[in-house]
């Protein structure tokens, strides 16, 4: 079973308070976090710091792109696939996800730390079943 500690998690969140809370939680579990409110800036930071993310925490939609599209764009920039987790309070998004409209792991708000931890472990298991990031 994969461990959470030592993973690098990308967090894309517009709300600074939520972003800081998620960062603190992930860091308390031993994760390195790269976060922001703009995917292009996160990609630039990831490259500048030579990071190898293992999981994406993305919005299921940002109004212009779906979580799948955001994940695909990130993956195209870094060169390997990553599982993504989204958290939403939108019941229609949850229904569309359950119907297979998009991938990722979608959690319903409010989301407890235990639920997020379980989703992170599930995402890491998915990652270990697919391609791993290339080594430098």
């Amino acid at each position: 079973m994969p461990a959470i500690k030592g993973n690098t998690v990308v967090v894309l969140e517009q709300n600074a308070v939520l972003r800081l809370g998620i960062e603190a939680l992930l860091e308390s579990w031993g994760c390195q976090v790269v976060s922001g409110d703009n995917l292009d800036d996160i990609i630039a930071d990831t490259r500048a710091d030579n990071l190898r993310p293992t999981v994406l925490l993305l919005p299921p939609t940002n109004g212009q792109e779906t979580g799948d599209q955001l994940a695909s764009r990130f993956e195209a920039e870094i060169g390997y696939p990553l599982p993504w987790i989204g958290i939403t309070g939108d019941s229609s998004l949850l229904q569309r996800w359950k119907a297979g409209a998009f991938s990722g792991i979608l959690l319903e708000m409010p989301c407890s730390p235990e639920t997020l931890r379980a989703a992170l472990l599930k995402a890491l298991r998915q990652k270990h079943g697919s391609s791993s990031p290339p080594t430098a």
Side-chain angles (χ1 to χ4, degrees):
M1 173 181 267
I4 290 177
K5 185 177 182 178
N7 283 280
T8 300
V9 181
V10 169
V11 177
L12 175 62
E13 173 57 56
Q14 299 297 315
N15 182 307
V17 173
L18 289 176
R19 189 173 59 247
L20 291 172
I22 292 169
E23 280 180 46
L25 180 62
L26 292 169
E27 288 172 350
S28 77
W29 293 339
C31 295
Q32 182 174 11
V33 180
V34 57
S35 69
D37 61 1
N38 179 291
L39 190 61
D40 294 323
D41 292 343
I42 292 172
I43 291 168
D45 290 346
T46 299
R47 285 184 171 151
D49 295 338
N50 199 28
L51 299 174
R52 297 280 185 217
T54 49
V55 179
L56 304 171
L57 196 56
L58 304 171
T61 179
N62 67 2
Q64 293 141 6
E65 296 176 282
T66 66
D68 282 342
Q69 291 168 324
L70 292 165
S72 292
R73 189 155 58 100
F74 190 86
E75 291 166 358
E77 292 290 334
I78 63 166
Y80 58 91
L82 290 169
W84 69 272
I85 300 169
I87 303 172
T88 186
D90 184 336
S91 60
S92 68
L93 277 177
L94 287 164
Q95 290 172 346
R96 288 177 38 219
W97 173 72
K98 288 176 184 175
F102 48 93
S103 64
I105 298 169
L106 200 56
L107 305 176
E108 186 173 8
M109 288 176 68
C111 174
S112 71
E114 294 80 18
T115 300
L116 180 58
R117 186 177 184 88
L120 188 54
L121 286 169
K122 181 178 179 179
L124 291 169
R125 282 192 300 273
Q126 288 176 354
K127 179 190 160 294
H128 288 284
S130 65
S131 302
S132 294
T135 54

